[in-house]
Amino acid sequence: MSVMEIPETLAAGRAAQELRLKRGEFELATQMGHVRTVGGALSGRRRVARGEVERLRRAAGFPGALRERVRTVGTAEGAELMDISPGRFTRLARAGYLVPVRFYLNRYRAVVWLYLAEELRAFASSEPGLLTGRLPRTRTRTEPRNRTARVGAGSCAGARAEAALDAEAAEAAGERTAGEEDCRPRNWRGRRIGLLLHESDDRWERAAIVGSVLDPVQLAELVPDPYERACLNRFRPDLAPGRPASEAGREVMGRLLTADDPDEISWHRSSLTALLADARRDRQAPRPSGTAPALAHTPESASATEPAPPAGPVRATGPAGTCEPVPYGGRHGRPLLTRLRGRRVRGREAAVPLGGSADR
């Protein structure tokens, strides 16, 4: 009887050490597909084959070339890299042209967004017209959307499709238009989910990834079965590593991790319903014997099919830095509870601003 040879694999820490990457750089390299990983045989954690490590070590320019591919920069350094002002950089990011790959809260609980330097250079070379002249403006919360335009779940492409109106005065003053929508949180969530889905093959885990950005009320409405919710919670990913020590910091972090745009919520609800149906066909969630599953009765479950394939990437370049787009379906067919919840969210945002950003 022949024995199949199992290739040697390394734990994440050991692989990062041999590739001369810091922990954060290694995590980003695996998420972006620069370092290929395999599932762990026992723990389920991702591991790196010895052959993959050797391949990267033999590549030209190692380790500097690999570290440069995952180098992240903030607003000031990114603006210098693109040879534009920090104010213009922020406006481009708010409009959805520049998609952050990470963020953290500084000591003042302000959000500091980080971008891939490689993507910023690519954007500057491919979109020189956006580096000078009139700035594009983002869609405001009260403006209607273009129903014929395809809108990415994490890209705010509808805002980018709008004509650039008179923003020169705001640019000269370094101000942002009142009521302007900030696409950075939504872009980051969409990108983060896309990266996690890119790594996962387990159907329940994929459903948990999509459901991780929905608030508990939305999740309970779509998944009334407590055992299925427990299964999703077991596979629930950490979208952002670490948790702030202060209550105010946790509140800001919680808002960033939760979908708040009605279109974004609608997309994730539909995706979760379809992924749950797929997961149930694969295997049932663990439950006591003789317990029947509770089924959700929602508009999404009535028409749930396989998730629609991606219609296009977000604007930022990168091999795996895209998220699954969603066509805008209009306001018809969305449950009343979702519409009312969206109004409450917008009312809270108007009353309590989102902690601010360090790179306004």
Side-chain angles (χ1 to χ4, degrees):
M1 181 177 65
S2 61
V3 179
M4 182 184 302
E5 182 180 354
I6 301 177
E8 179 186 359
T9 60
L10 303 178
R14 176 67 181 276
Q17 183 178 7
E18 295 203 8
L19 293 174
R20 303 183 191 177
L21 295 175
K22 299 177 182 178
R23 178 179 177 182
E25 292 173 336
F26 177 79
E27 291 177 354
L28 192 55
T30 58
Q31 293 169 7
M32 301 297 296
H34 300 321
V35 178
R36 295 190 292 263
T37 60
V38 296
L42 298 177
S43 65
R45 296 183 178 182
R46 308 296 293 181
R47 298 176 66 87
V48 182
R50 165 62 69 178
E52 174 70 1
V53 172
E54 296 301 326
R55 179 187 71 84
L56 293 169
R57 290 176 62 90
R58 291 193 302 267
F62 176 84
L66 179 59
R67 298 189 68 174
E68 181 61 25
R69 296 173 73 182
V70 294
R71 183 167 73 94
T72 58
V73 296
T75 297
E77 190 175 355
E80 183 179 356
L81 194 65
M82 298 174 64
D83 196 22
I84 58 177
S85 68
R88 190 179 193 90
F89 183 97
T90 300
R91 286 293 302 273
L92 288 171
R94 290 179 61 88
Y97 286 90
L98 307 176
V99 181
V101 70
R102 281 187 171 178
F103 74 89
Y104 67 90
L105 301 183
N106 63 15
R107 67 179 69 180
Y108 307 108
R109 298 190 299 274
V111 184
V112 180
W113 298 102
L114 300 176
Y115 308 81
L116 284 172
E118 184 181 49
E119 290 185 352
L120 298 183
R121 285 193 295 265
F123 179 85
S125 61
S126 62
E127 301 286 351
L130 291 173
L131 305 184
T132 58
R134 289 187 174 183
L135 285 173
R137 71 181 182 94
T138 61
R139 176 181 62 87
T140 64
R141 291 283 183 178
T142 58
E143 288 176 344
R145 294 175 185 260
N146 182 359
R147 298 196 178 192
T148 62
R150 290 199 294 189
V151 181
S155 66
C156 296
R160 298 200 298 266
E162 296 179 357
L165 300 180
D166 234 342
E168 293 178 338
E171 178 187 3
E175 301 171 351
R176 60 187 178 91
T177 306
E180 202 174 62
E181 181 180 14
D182 187 355
C183 293
R184 290 173 296 183
R186 176 176 174 174
N187 272 353
W188 174 82
R189 286 190 296 266
R191 180 173 207 167
R192 179 68 173 136
I193 289 176
L195 292 173
L196 290 172
L197 290 175
H198 179 75
E199 291 183 320
S200 175
D201 296 324
D202 184 88
R203 297 181 181 182
W204 279 100
E205 184 177 347
R206 291 174 65 84
I209 291 170
V210 173
S212 63
V213 295
L214 294 175
D215 63 49
V217 177
Q218 296 270 356
L219 195 61
E221 180 182 344
L222 292 174
V223 192
D225 190 301
Y227 301 104
E228 290 186 343
R229 289 202 304 274
C231 185
L232 294 179
N233 288 331
R234 183 163 63 92
F235 288 113
R236 184 184 181 93
D238 288 329
L239 295 180
R243 286 292 182 269
S246 66
E247 181 65 27
R250 288 193 294 271
E251 182 180 354
V252 173
M253 181 76 76
R255 294 181 185 178
L256 290 172
L257 301 183
T258 305
D260 60 353
D261 186 272
D263 287 341
E264 183 186 12
I265 293 173
S266 178
W267 163 254
H268 291 309
R269 285 174 62 95
S270 299
S271 296
L272 176 59
T273 301
L275 289 171
L276 277 174
D278 195 27
R280 289 166 182 147
R281 286 193 296 267
D282 181 55
R283 67 182 187 274
Q284 291 295 320
R287 67 179 64 250
S289 58
T291 305
L295 299 179
H297 298 283
T298 63
E300 289 89 347
S301 62
S303 59
T305 57
E306 296 293 326
V314 291
R315 183 169 291 271
T317 59
T322 61
C323 58
E324 301 175 1
V326 53
Y328 174 60
R331 298 187 175 275
H332 300 290
R334 193 162 64 244
L336 176 61
L337 179 60
T338 304
R339 296 200 301 270
L340 294 176
R341 184 176 296 111
R343 294 175 184 173
R344 291 200 301 271
V345 169
R346 290 193 293 271
R348 289 197 301 268
E349 290 177 350
V352 182
L354 179 62
S357 286
D359 54 356
R360 294 185 186 181

